[in-house]
Amino acid sequence: MTTTIRQKQARRRRGRAVAYAAVTVAWALTVWLSAIVAPPDWLHGAALFVHLASLVVGLGAVLMIEWHALLWATGWSSVRELRQADRTMILPVWAGLVGLLASGALLEPDLTATATQVKLVAVLVLSLNGVALTRWTSGLGRLPANARFRSLPRRARVWFAASAVVSQTAWWTAVVVGLLNATG
């Protein structure tokens, strides 16, 4: 392996480590702010709207990417199409997540409630999983345009599928708990 390739790999690992730390700090800051901020009713209502809009944007983009991944995994589309969907949708995914965190700090969640704690952990998991997926998606760019999912090493296929399951489980857990909290 040449020095240049090793340097690129090391740079990507450092970038992911910084992203893991940034996501964790942003999540912790949101939880901390939600414990100390008591917004007026009008701001709470606006925050709820932003929260729901951010959910639509973020989860919708995740669903589009993972739909394209499923199509590729089942042989119905190409890795090129998946890569294009990822590059197109990654900004709405992260914009939705930032909106969810920022607005969530103003929603006055009951941090002592088990359901809220489950939702908070789900949001942290989906965020960290999103960072982990950057390793996978950057690897997709190095595959030939006609590469098939089944041609990947077994370990990569299992990791890919597990990340998708973690993503969907965490997103939908947060959605269901949020709905139950809002209506209960």
Side-chain angles (χ1 to χ4, degrees):
M1 194 178 316
T2 67
T3 304
T4 305
I5 292 172
R6 286 184 187 152
Q7 289 171 337
K8 286 180 182 177
Q9 288 174 335
R11 213 173 19 251
R12 283 193 287 265
R13 278 193 302 273
R14 281 191 304 273
R16 275 193 302 278
V18 168
Y20 283 125
V23 161
T24 303
V25 167
W27 176 86
L29 181 62
T30 297
V31 173
W32 176 71
L33 285 172
S34 71
I36 64 168
V37 173
D41 287 341
W42 68 267
L43 186 55
H44 186 275
L48 183 57
F49 174 81
V50 170
H51 204 70
L52 293 173
S54 297
L55 174 65
V56 169
V57 170
L59 179 56
V62 165
L63 288 170
M64 290 304 302
I65 294 169
E66 291 183 0
W67 173 251
H68 281 276
L70 180 62
L71 290 175
W72 178 55
T74 57
W76 286 85
S77 73
S78 69
V79 69
R80 181 180 179 280
E81 291 169 318
L82 169 56
R83 182 72 175 140
Q84 183 61 42
D86 179 67
R87 284 190 306 222
T88 303
M89 292 289 157
I90 199 66
L91 180 61
V93 169
W94 289 105
L97 186 57
V98 167
L100 286 167
L101 290 174
S103 60
L106 301 172
L107 293 179
E108 300 179 281
D110 178 3
L111 298 176
T112 63
T114 302
T116 301
Q117 293 167 0
V118 167
K119 179 181 178 179
L120 291 172
V121 169
V123 170
L124 180 60
V125 166
L126 71 87
S127 303
L128 294 173
N129 188 60
V131 173
L133 281 168
T134 62
R135 178 177 183 215
W136 173 254
T137 56
S138 68
L140 291 178
R142 293 187 292 275
L143 293 175
N146 62 349
R148 295 286 174 210
F149 180 76
R150 66 181 175 273
S151 68
L152 296 177
R154 184 179 192 288
R155 180 177 175 203
R157 292 191 317 262
V158 168
W159 191 89
F160 177 78
S163 291
V165 168
V166 167
S167 173
Q168 288 300 305
T169 301
W171 274 98
W172 288 105
T173 296
V175 168
V176 169
V177 171
L179 175 66
L180 294 174
N181 279 347
T183 59

